[in-house]
Amino acid sequence: MKGLINILHSDRSLQLGVIIISVICLFSILGPLLSPYHYNTQNLSESFQRPSWSHPLGTDFFGRDLLTRLMYGGRITLTVAFSATLFAVIIGTIVGLASGFIGGWLDRILMRLVDILLGFPKLFVILLLVGMGYTSLGLVVTFLALFSWMEIARIVRSDVWVAKEQLYVKSAEALGLRRRRIIFRHILPNITGPLIVSTVLLISSLILIESSLSFLGLGVQPPNASWGTILNEGRVDPVGAWWISVFSGIIIVTCVIGFNLIGDGLRNILDPKTGKKT
Amino acid sequence: MKSLFYFCLICAILLIYSCDGGKKVSRRSTSEFNPIKIVNGGTLVVGIRAEPESLNPLLALSQTSRNIISLVFRRLADINEDLRTFTPVLAKNWTFSPDSLSITFNLKTDVLWHDGMPFSAADIVFTYQMQTDPAIGWDGISFKETIRSVDALDDSTVVFLFHRKSPAMLMDAVEGYILPEHILASVSSEDMHKAEFNRRPVGTGPFKFQGWKDQQTITLVRNNSYYETGKPHLDRIIFKVVPDNINLLSQLKSGEVDLVESLYPRDFQALSAKWEQGQSNIRPVSYLGRRYDFIGWNLIDPDHYRQKLKQEDNSLPIEDYILPNRFFGSRKVRSALTMALDREALTNAVNYGMAIPMHGPVPLILNAYNEAANVHWPYDPQQALRILSEEGWSDTDKDGILDKDGIPFEFELITESGNTRWEQAATIIQDQLAKIGVHVSPRLVEPALLYGKLLPLKEFDAVLIGWVVGLTMDYAPLFHSSSFFTPFHFTGYYSSKYDSLDDASKKSFNPAVIQKYYDEIAGLLSHDLPYTWLYYRQECSAIHVRFKNVTIDKRGMFINPEDWWVPVKERSRIDKLFEG
Amino acid sequence: MVSYVIKRIAESIPTIIIGITLTFLVIHLSPGDPGSRFMDPSQPSEYREILQNRFGLNDALHIQYIKWLKQVLFHFDFGNSFYNGKPASGMVFSALRPTMLLAICSLIFALIVGIFLGIIAAVYRDALPDRILTAKMMFFFSTPSFWLGIMLLGIFSIKLGWFPASHLTSLYHDQLNWSGRFADYVHHLILPVITLGLPLSATFYRYIRTGMIEALESEYILASRARGLSVSKLLFHYSLKNSLIPLISVLGITIPALLSGALVVEVIFSLPGLGRTMVSAVFSRDYPIILAASTLAFVTVIVGNLLADVIYSMVDPRIRIKTQGVL
C-alpha cells in the first residue's frame, strides 16, 4: 500500500490521470444513485432543455436528464472498454507467451497473423463485422477484443525473448524446471510492467473506437446509451442543442486523457529510459 | 497548468456555441408576378441526402431518383390534384372503346428525345414490354396486370387492351415513364441493371441530363427542344448530395441549396417560425405526404410457423401454420396495447406536430379515405389494464411486469436502424407501455436483416416501420391469405371475411360500391388490429423564395418544374456564376 | 533494394488474400438479404429469386467465392454495385482520390505542426512553452476526430459560416480559373484536414520532442556545442535529422489509423471518399462495393507500410531492414 502511494507521488501525470479516472469512475458508479432522475424517465414536455439548475447539463429529445444519462453511459462505455481490454490482454498474453517460448514454426505463423491483423484498418473491419449482424453489446466487445490483442502479443513475445536469454531462466531450465513453471514463476512477473502500460493505453484507444462505432450508429440498443451514442444523438442539431454533443464529447476526451496520462506516467516509472518526461 | 488550459478551451467552445446571432433578413416581396414578365435563366440547387441509385425509370426506387426522373422523362398523361382525372402529356388525347375494354391514345407528333430522335408509338409499346418483363422487376408492375396487350396502330396511335373493366384503367395505362426504344432495345433485360443508360438517361422531359459527379452532384440542363415552346425557364437544376442533416440545413439557410424536399419536422418548424417573422428567404411548404408508420404485431407463434415451413408440405391448409402468438394472438390484447398508447403525444413528439394520428388502414391521401369507417381505440390505460386482466395478464409476482402462467409480458419491438424517427417512436412506446406493466425492449436492426430475414420468416414479436403509399389502394400483399407466405405479409393475419371483402372490391366497377367495400375493410382491419396505425406524415419541404410559379402539393415537389422561373433582380450568386 | 521490395510485395499478397477472403465470408455468411431493399409489397414474390440471380447469390458459397476471385484476379472485375449497377472497381477508385487528397494533406499538416512544435518544446524543455504545448498535444492526442470534427463544423461553418460544410469543391468549381480552383480546394479542405491532422500531429510531436531532447543531450551534440557550432545548425542539421528517423517508422503504422480516421471525417464533412463509400455500402449491404473498398484499403495500407520502410532504409542505411513491421 505504501509502495503504491510512493509510486503515485513519483510522477505528476500518473497522479493527475489517476485522479481523473477515479472521478469518472465514481461519477459513473455512484452518480446514478445520487441523481434525482432515472436515466430512462421520459418527460416529453421538457424536450431539449438548455442547461439549468434542475438539469445542469440540459435534457435530450425525450426530456431525459443529460447528466444522469452521461453517468449511465459511463457505465456502459467503461464496461465495454474494460472487458474488451481484458479479453485482448488474455489473448495477447497467451499468443505472445506461446510464440516467444515455443518459437519455431508456431512463432512464425502467429507473428504473420499479427502482421496481417495489424495491417487491417481497424474501423473498416469492425464496422463491417458489427454492421452485418445483430448489433449487440457482446458482439461489439468480442470484435473489439479480436482486433486489438496484437500489440500486446508483440510486447509479450519480445519480452519473453529477452527474458529467455537471461541467465536465471537458462539456469532454471538447466535445473530441469518444467516449462509452465518457468513461464509463470520467472517470465510473467518480469514482463508485467510493459504489459500494464500497453493495457492502459489500449483502454483509451478502445474507448475511442467504441465511441466511433456508436457515433456511426452501431452499438448499444436504446434506451441504453454509451457516450458515443449520446454524442450521436446530439448530431441531430449540434448548434441548437449544443449541450448534448459538447458535454458528451468533453467526457469522452477527459476519460481518454486520464488513461493516457496514467499510461505515460507508468511508462516513466517502469521504463525511465524510453519514457517521455513531462 | 493543464487543467487551466482545458478549462479555458471548454469555456471558449461554450461561449461560441451559446451566443445567438439573431439577424434580420429583408425578404423581397412574394407578391404575384405578371406572366408576361417571365424570363429564362437561373439555377436551382436541390439538396438530396443520398445519391440516386439509378436514373432509369424501370429501376428507380428512392424518392430522389424518382424526382430526377420526373424532370427528364414524361408519361402519357399526368394525374391531377383530385387524384381522379388526368392531363395529357405525351398523349394528345384518348378515347375509351364502346365496350370499355380498350383505350386508344393519340400521341403528340412534335416530341423529340434529348438525343434528337423523334418520339413515336413504338416507344410506348417497347416501354410496356420492358415494364412487364419479370427479369427487370419494375416496381410498378402490378399496375399493368389488368392490361392484355399494347399495340401501335401507326406512329402516333396506340391501343391498350384490358382483361376486364375497372375504374383504374386509365391510371393503369398511363403509369410509368416512357423509355426510348432506339437506345434500350439493344440492352437485354438481364443486363438492364448495369446499362450505361441508368447513369446517362435520355428522355423527353423539360430538362436533359448533363453530368454526374460521384457522391457529389447531378446536373440537368434546359431542354431547348422541349415540345412546349418557350419552356422550361430555368437554365439548370443541380442535385447536390449532402448526407448529413445539419449540413443540409445550414446550406439551405445560407443559400447554397435552394430546395429540400424532406426536412426534419423540427427543422421545418424552426424555418416556419423564421419565415412568419419575415426573417427568412426560405419558404416552407407542407402537404400530405405518402408515408405512414405503424406497429405490426406478430399474430402467430414464430417457432410453430418455422417448424411447419420445414416440413415442406405445401398441401397443408393455412390454419395449420397458425398457432396464436402467446402475446398478440388475442385481438383483445392488441386492442389493450393500442389503448395504452398515447398516439396523440407520440405523433406530436416524433413529428413536431407535422403528422396526423392514424386509426385505420386507408392512407389519408387517397380518395377512399373515410375516417368515420375506422374503429377508434381511445387512449385509456385503465381500460387497457382491465382488458389485459380479463385476458389473464396481471402482476402476480409484484415485479412491476404483468404476467400470465408464469410468463412475463416482455417483448422486443424491432425497428430499422438509422431511422431517427422510428428509434424515437420505439423509445417512447417502450416508456408508455412500461406504465401499464408491459416490458418492451426496442431493438434496432439493419434493413437487410429486418426485411430479408426477420419479417419474411415471421421471426419477431412486434415491429415498428412504415409504408410508402401508392395512388391505388391494395392491401392484398399485406393481409390477404393468398399472400400468407410472402415477405410482406409478416403479421400472419388470416381472416376469411377480409379475403371476401378484398376480392369483392376488386371485382366491382361501381365507385360507390367499391367505396362501401373499402369502408368495410377499414372497419374490419381497425377492429382486428393486425397493425396499430400510429400516424400519417406530412411532408415538410422548403424552397427559396426567388423561384416563382412553383406548385407543390400532395403529388410531390416537381409537378410543374417547366413553369418555374427566377426574376432577374433576385438572381443569387450561384445563378450569376453560371451565367458568367 | 529492388529484391527487398519484391520480397515484401510477395509477402503481402497472402495478407491481402486472407483479408479479402475473411471479408467475403463475413458478408456472405451474415444473416439477411441484400435484395430486400429492392422489394416492396406491390411486387410479385418471385422477384426475390430474380434479384438473387442477378446478384449471383444463388450458388453455393464456395462457387460464388471462386467465381468472384477469378473475376478479380484475371479481369480485375469486382462486379457491379447492387445499388446502382456501376462497376465496383471504378466507383472505389473514384472514391480513393478524395481520400488520398485528404489523407496526404492531413499527413503533411500533421508533420509540419508536429515537427515545428516538437522542436520548440525540446528547445524550451520544461519551461512554459513546453508545458503548454505538451498539455495541448495531450488534449489533441486524446480527442476523437469525430468530436473535433463536429465542434469545428458547428463553430466555423454552421455558426460563423467561414468554411463550407460539405463537399470537396464548389458547384461552380469548373467555372473557376486555375488559382480559383486551388483556393476552392483549400477552402473546402481546411476543416477536414485539421480534424484529421491535429490528433496525428500530437503523435508526431511526442516522437520529435523525445528524439530532439535525446539528441540535444547526446554527447556529440554537447561536444559540438562546446566547440562553438551554431545553435541553428546543430538543431536542424544534426538533432532533427536523428529524431526524424523514428518518425518515419511511425508513419507506417499511422496509415491504417489515417484510413480509419478519414472514414469518420468523410462522414462528418460529407466528402465523397472511400470511407463514406464503405459506410454506405455496409449499411446498404452492397457486397461488391464492400469487397472492392476493403481490398483497396488493405492494398493502400500495405503499400504505405512498404513506402515507409523503403524511405526508412534510405534515410538510415545503417539500420538493417527487418522483415517485420515496426514496433
Side-chain angles (χ1 to χ4, degrees):
Chain A
M1 193 64 213
K2 208 176 167 199
L4 255 174
I5 291 170
N6 276 340
I7 292 176
L8 265 181
H9 274 296
S10 64
D11 191 276
R12 292 251 335 263
S13 41
L14 180 65
Q15 237 172 335
L16 191 61
V18 169
I19 292 171
I20 291 176
I21 295 305
S22 317
V23 169
I24 285 179
C25 285
L26 283 179
F27 171 78
S28 307
I29 296 165
L30 294 182
L33 305 175
L34 304 175
S35 164
Y37 304 99
H38 186 254
Y39 76 106
N40 191 27
T41 303
Q42 300 181 6
N43 186 351
L44 293 174
S45 60
E46 290 193 353
S47 174
F48 287 130
Q49 299 257 307
R50 285 168 169 277
S52 63
W53 286 116
S54 52
H55 297 285
L57 302 187
T59 62
D60 68 359
F61 170 80
F62 302 99
R64 300 177 295 201
D65 181 56
L66 187 63
L67 181 64
T68 318
R69 302 262 314 152
L70 285 177
M71 291 168 177
Y72 267 96
R75 288 186 178 183
I76 288 175
T77 302
L78 293 176
T79 312
V80 170
F82 283 141
S83 39
T85 308
L86 183 70
F87 289 130
V89 169
I90 292 174
I91 302 173
T93 315
I94 292 173
V95 171
L97 283 178
S99 185
F101 214 78
I102 299 167
W105 58 271
L106 187 69
D107 179 42
R108 247 170 286 147
I109 290 178
L110 287 177
M111 285 304 111
R112 197 82 214 116
L113 184 68
V114 166
D115 282 347
I116 290 172
L117 287 177
L118 274 178
F120 285 8
K122 240 188 218 179
L123 198 56
F124 267 72
V125 178
I126 298 179
L127 171 80
L128 180 71
L129 289 169
V130 178
M132 281 290 146
Y134 295 90
T135 37
S136 75
L137 223 52
L139 214 64
V140 174
V141 170
T142 315
F143 290 133
L144 286 179
L146 279 181
F147 283 91
S148 26
W149 54 268
M150 294 84 70
E151 271 153 41
I152 304 268
R154 276 193 171 176
I155 290 165
V156 173
R157 173 181 169 275
S158 64
D159 285 334
V160 170
W161 278 110
V162 175
K164 246 167 74 175
E165 296 306 311
Q166 277 166 357
L167 258 179
Y168 64 90
V169 176
K170 288 228 157 133
S171 50
E173 248 173 9
L175 282 172
L177 287 178
R178 283 174 58 203
R179 276 192 163 180
R180 207 195 305 159
R181 197 146 160 221
I182 299 174
I183 292 178
F184 286 105
R185 270 284 166 79
H186 302 279
I187 294 182
L188 215 47
N190 230 28
I191 59 173
T192 40
L195 200 59
I196 289 174
V197 174
S198 38
T199 304
V200 172
L201 293 179
L202 188 59
I203 296 178
S204 76
S205 81
L206 286 182
I207 290 177
L208 286 185
I209 295 183
E210 193 276 332
S211 314
S212 308
L213 273 182
S214 303
F215 173 75
L216 293 172
L218 299 166
V220 190
Q221 297 284 331
N224 297 318
S226 73
W227 290 335
T229 329
I230 299 174
L231 184 60
N232 191 25
E233 284 167 11
R235 239 181 115 199
V236 178
D237 189 357
V239 177
W242 54 267
W243 51 93
I244 300 178
S245 33
V246 169
F247 292 126
S248 53
I250 286 176
I251 197 158
I252 295 175
V253 175
T254 317
C255 187
V256 175
I257 288 179
F259 281 113
N260 284 342
L261 285 174
I262 295 181
D264 274 7
L266 284 175
R267 182 158 45 199
N268 287 346
I269 293 166
L270 296 167
D271 189 6
K273 209 174 136 220
T274 57
K276 299 148 199 74
K277 288 179 194 157
T278 35
Chain B
M1 187 61 238
K2 280 174 197 165
S3 40
L4 186 69
F5 167 75
Y6 296 139
F7 181 74
C8 294
L9 190 100
I10 288 161
C11 286
I13 292 173
L14 293 184
L15 196 73
I16 296 175
Y17 260 86
S18 48
C19 66
D20 208 27
K23 52 184 176 226
K24 199 145 187 135
V25 182
S26 70
R27 186 161 73 210
R28 294 198 185 88
S29 85
T30 53
S31 61
E32 281 311 297
F33 53 90
N34 180 348
I36 300 159
K37 283 196 307 198
I38 292 179
V39 283
N40 287 357
T43 296
L44 172 76
V45 182
V46 184
I48 53 179
R49 288 200 165 79
E51 206 173 39
E53 66 277 358
S54 171
L55 297 182
N56 183 338
L58 294 171
L59 303 170
L61 295 170
S62 66
Q63 190 56 36
T64 305
S65 303
R66 286 168 202 256
N67 281 343
I68 301 177
I69 284 166
S70 75
L71 297 165
V72 176
F73 292 90
R74 295 282 92 166
R75 294 191 183 93
L76 278 174
D78 277 343
I79 200 161
N80 293 328
E81 206 195 338
D82 60 8
L83 303 187
R84 269 181 231 278
T85 56
F86 287 83
T87 307
V89 180
L90 288 176
K92 219 177 328 181
N93 53 48
W94 51 82
T95 47
F96 280 81
S97 67
D99 62 355
S100 287
L101 274 175
S102 75
I103 310 177
T104 307
F105 288 89
N106 295 308
L107 307 177
K108 291 203 169 92
T109 48
D110 50 351
V111 180
L112 295 179
W113 291 99
H114 293 158
D115 60 0
M117 299 291 281
F119 155 80
S120 81
D123 294 315
I124 312 275
V125 177
F126 173 76
T127 302
Y128 170 73
Q129 287 160 357
M130 292 290 106
Q131 286 170 335
T132 49
D133 187 335
I136 290 175
W138 180 50
D139 75 327
I141 197 164
S142 59
F143 283 99
K144 305 294 176 186
E145 276 166 2
T146 53
I147 297 174
R148 184 197 295 270
S149 70
V150 177
D151 297 298
L153 295 187
D154 57 51
D155 270 0
S156 62
T157 318
V158 192
V159 181
F160 282 68
L161 252 165
F162 291 81
H163 290 295
R164 55 184 159 80
K165 284 201 311 185
S166 88
M169 281 163 73
L170 187 56
M171 183 187 275
D172 291 346
V174 303
E175 178 61 33
Y177 292 97
I178 304 305
L179 300 158
E181 186 195 17
H182 66 281
I183 295 176
L184 284 176
S186 58
V187 180
S188 78
S189 43
E190 283 74 30
D191 286 338
M192 187 59 87
H193 70 284
K194 28 186 188 184
E196 181 65 16
F197 181 79
N198 307 346
R199 275 108 64 193
R200 336 190 102 269
V202 173
T204 49
F207 293 90
K208 54 184 184 183
F209 175 85
Q210 191 191 43
W212 185 334
K213 277 191 194 170
D214 273 348
Q215 303 278 340
Q216 299 192 69
T217 53
I218 290 164
T219 308
L220 308 180
V221 292
R222 178 171 47 218
N223 174 13
N224 288 321
S225 47
Y226 189 54
Y227 63 85
E228 276 186 84
T229 350
K231 289 179 179 179
H233 306 301
L234 297 177
D235 275 345
R236 71 176 50 65
I237 300 183
I238 300 174
F239 288 82
K240 185 177 183 188
V241 188
V242 187
D244 187 57
N245 182 59
I246 193 70
N247 268 345
L248 188 60
L249 190 69
S250 85
Q251 297 196 13
L252 179 67
K253 286 179 186 162
S254 68
E256 287 167 83
V257 163
D258 299 315
L259 186 158
V260 175
E261 185 185 25
S262 189
L263 286 164
Y264 286 171
R266 175 180 151 85
D267 303 333
F268 180 83
Q269 295 285 24
L271 276 179
S272 305
K274 283 224 163 154
W275 169 258
E276 271 148 30
Q277 292 159 13
Q279 288 183 351
S280 155
N281 276 327
I282 301 140
R283 182 163 68 94
V285 191
S286 78
Y287 47 97
L288 218 46
R290 294 283 182 93
R291 293 164 190 277
Y292 65 90
D293 298 347
F294 60 87
I295 306 174
W297 310 106
N298 192 351
L299 273 53
I300 63 175
D301 189 86
D303 297 326
H304 177 80
Y305 178 72
R306 248 196 333 274
Q307 265 172 26
K308 288 286 168 186
L309 273 189
K310 272 189 197 135
Q311 291 172 357
E312 290 187 21
D313 181 2
N314 293 332
S315 62
L316 287 176
I318 288 176
E319 282 91 340
D320 277 22
Y321 289 86
I322 298 176
L323 177 70
N325 187 291
R326 60 186 168 172
F327 301 128
F328 316 117
S330 148
R331 188 192 65 78
K332 284 190 163 176
V333 170
R334 298 196 297 273
S335 69
L337 293 175
T338 308
M339 289 168 85
L341 287 181
D342 188 352
R343 261 184 276 200
E344 194 84 33
L346 172 89
T347 305
N348 283 327
V350 299
N351 298 292
Y352 287 85
M354 299 308 293
I356 301 153
M358 197 175 166
H359 298 274
V362 185
L364 276 62
I365 194 176
L366 296 185
N367 294 322
Y369 169 69
N370 174 11
E371 187 57 48
N374 294 330
V375 177
H376 284 243
W377 300 95
Y379 172 54
D380 189 349
Q382 293 311 314
Q383 183 64 21
L385 267 177
R386 266 196 296 279
I387 295 175
L388 284 174
S389 73
E390 280 166 27
E391 287 288 296
W393 293 98
S394 54
D395 189 8
T396 52
D397 52 4
K398 300 285 170 236
D399 63 347
I401 296 171
L402 300 180
D403 53 76
K404 177 183 179 180
D405 309 329
I407 303 169
F409 206 133
E410 288 176 341
F411 66 92
E412 273 187 357
L413 177 62
I414 55 174
T415 189
E416 198 181 310
S417 59
N419 185 318
T420 314
R421 196 186 311 246
W422 293 346
E423 285 173 24
Q424 289 172 344
T427 314
I428 292 177
I429 288 166
Q430 177 260 331
D431 192 58
Q432 289 185 348
L433 290 186
K435 286 176 185 148
I436 59 160
V438 173
H439 186 265
V440 184
S441 315
R443 177 172 191 84
L444 312 180
V445 181
E446 54 111 14
L449 186 57
L450 183 62
Y451 303 107
K453 179 157 183 278
L454 300 186
L455 294 185
L457 295 178
K458 306 191 186 358
E459 276 180 20
F460 70 102
D461 301 322
V463 62
L464 193 160
I465 48 172
W467 292 136
V468 181
V469 187
L471 287 182
T472 48
M473 189 175 125
D474 186 7
Y475 280 103
L478 306 181
F479 301 120
H480 197 279
S481 64
S482 63
S483 47
F484 191 81
F485 300 101
T486 59
F488 294 99
H489 191 297
F490 46 77
T491 58
Y493 180 67
Y494 177 66
S495 156
S496 50
K497 192 175 170 201
Y498 174 82
D499 288 358
S500 57
L501 282 173
D502 190 293
D503 296 340
S505 77
K506 280 176 182 153
K507 284 193 187 108
S508 175
F509 191 70
N510 180 338
V513 175
I514 293 175
Q515 184 59 43
K516 204 187 101 239
Y517 285 127
Y518 283 167
D519 284 353
E520 280 185 48
I521 287 177
L524 177 70
L525 288 176
S526 58
H527 174 261
D528 284 353
L529 293 169
Y531 290 175
T532 291
W533 289 271
L534 296 174
Y535 48 80
Y536 194 86
R537 276 156 61 173
Q538 276 179 295
E539 203 57 79
C540 302
S541 309
I543 181 166
H544 196 281
V545 75
R546 73 176 190 276
F547 295 93
K548 310 297 176 195
N549 209 2
V550 176
T551 304
I552 294 172
D553 63 32
K554 61 185 174 184
R555 288 169 294 168
M557 284 306 297
F558 296 108
I559 299 161
N560 65 341
E562 62 269 34
D563 295 328
W564 300 8
W565 67 287
V566 189
V568 177
K569 282 190 299 192
E570 300 183 30
R571 299 264 157 102
S572 75
R573 198 169 127 256
I574 290 175
D575 289 328
K576 286 173 189 151
L577 268 161
F578 275 110
E579 278 160 24
Chain C
M1 181 54 80
V2 176
S3 67
Y4 167 71
V5 171
I6 291 171
K7 196 177 156 223
R8 279 293 305 267
I9 291 175
E11 272 182 357
S12 57
I13 286 173
T15 311
I16 297 176
I17 291 189
I18 291 175
I20 53 177
T21 306
L22 283 178
T23 315
F24 188 92
L25 285 178
V26 165
I27 57 181
H28 284 266
L29 289 177
S30 59
D33 172 15
S36 59
R37 63 173 301 157
F38 302 99
M39 302 276 305
D40 80 59
S42 63
Q43 276 166 325
S45 43
E46 300 82 51
Y47 187 49
R48 207 187 172 84
E49 292 292 309
I50 295 166
L51 281 174
Q52 295 276 324
N53 259 332
R54 183 189 293 175
F55 297 155
L57 298 170
N58 271 349
D59 299 324
L61 192 60
H62 61 278
I63 297 176
Q64 283 185 46
Y65 177 67
I66 293 168
K67 269 189 188 168
W68 178 78
L69 205 60
K70 258 191 198 160
Q71 283 293 311
V72 170
L73 292 180
F74 300 121
H75 306 281
F76 199 68
D77 175 11
F78 282 87
N80 290 54
S81 158
F82 291 173
Y83 182 60
N84 58 20
K86 287 195 216 176
S89 46
M91 269 180 81
V92 168
F93 272 117
S94 74
L96 183 65
R97 249 188 29 168
T99 303
M100 292 302 275
L101 190 65
L102 173 67
I104 291 173
C105 289
S106 309
L107 197 61
I108 294 171
F109 171 82
L111 281 172
I112 293 173
V113 172
I115 292 174
F116 180 69
L117 296 181
I119 294 173
I120 292 182
V123 171
Y124 296 99
R125 190 182 170 191
D126 291 337
L128 193 64
D130 179 28
R131 288 205 205 156
I132 292 179
L133 282 175
T134 304
K136 200 185 251 177
M137 282 303 168
M138 185 52 140
F139 177 77
F140 289 128
F141 184 71
S142 310
T143 305
S145 51
F146 53 87
W147 188 60
L148 190 61
I150 291 180
M151 293 292 113
L152 291 177
L153 183 84
I155 297 170
F156 293 105
S157 59
I158 292 170
K159 195 88 200 175
L160 300 174
W162 291 352
F163 298 103
S166 72
H167 291 72
L168 210 53
T169 54
S170 302
L171 289 176
Y172 43 85
H173 185 77
D174 296 337
Q175 262 78 9
L176 300 168
N177 58 14
W178 185 85
S179 58
R181 285 185 194 190
F182 181 76
D184 193 40
Y185 269 124
V186 172
H187 196 210
H188 281 82
L189 273 172
I190 284 184
L191 290 185
V193 163
I194 293 179
T195 308
L196 189 55
L198 261 189
L200 200 61
S201 72
T203 316
F204 296 154
Y205 165 85
R206 294 169 137 222
Y207 277 88
I208 289 288
R209 183 177 169 278
T210 322
M212 287 292 283
I213 288 174
E214 267 175 24
L216 285 174
E217 281 178 350
S218 67
E219 294 192 347
Y220 77 96
I221 295 274
L222 289 176
S224 329
R225 220 183 223 180
R227 264 189 278 148
L229 273 170
S230 83
V231 177
S232 64
K233 191 168 184 189
L234 271 176
L235 264 184
F236 293 103
H237 205 245
Y238 299 108
S239 316
L240 186 59
K241 211 176 148 191
N242 280 336
S243 41
L244 276 180
I245 291 167
L247 200 65
I248 293 166
S249 68
V250 184
L251 276 186
I253 49 166
T254 43
I255 290 166
L258 206 56
L259 273 186
S260 295
L263 187 149
V264 172
V265 172
E266 283 163 16
V267 170
I268 294 172
F269 291 98
S270 309
L271 298 176
L274 193 60
R276 209 178 93 199
T277 308
M278 178 76 178
V279 172
S280 58
V282 166
F283 285 128
S284 64
R285 293 277 186 114
D286 200 340
Y287 294 173
I289 303 293
I290 296 177
L291 285 167
S294 344
T295 311
L296 196 60
F298 293 141
V299 172
T300 316
V301 168
I302 283 164
V303 170
N305 266 322
L306 189 61
L307 273 180
D309 280 5
V310 170
I311 297 172
Y312 194 52
S313 63
M314 285 199 295
V315 172
D316 193 353
R318 285 172 308 168
I319 292 168
R320 280 189 50 125
I321 298 158
K322 286 184 286 177
T323 46
Q324 277 169 13
V326 282
L327 261 194

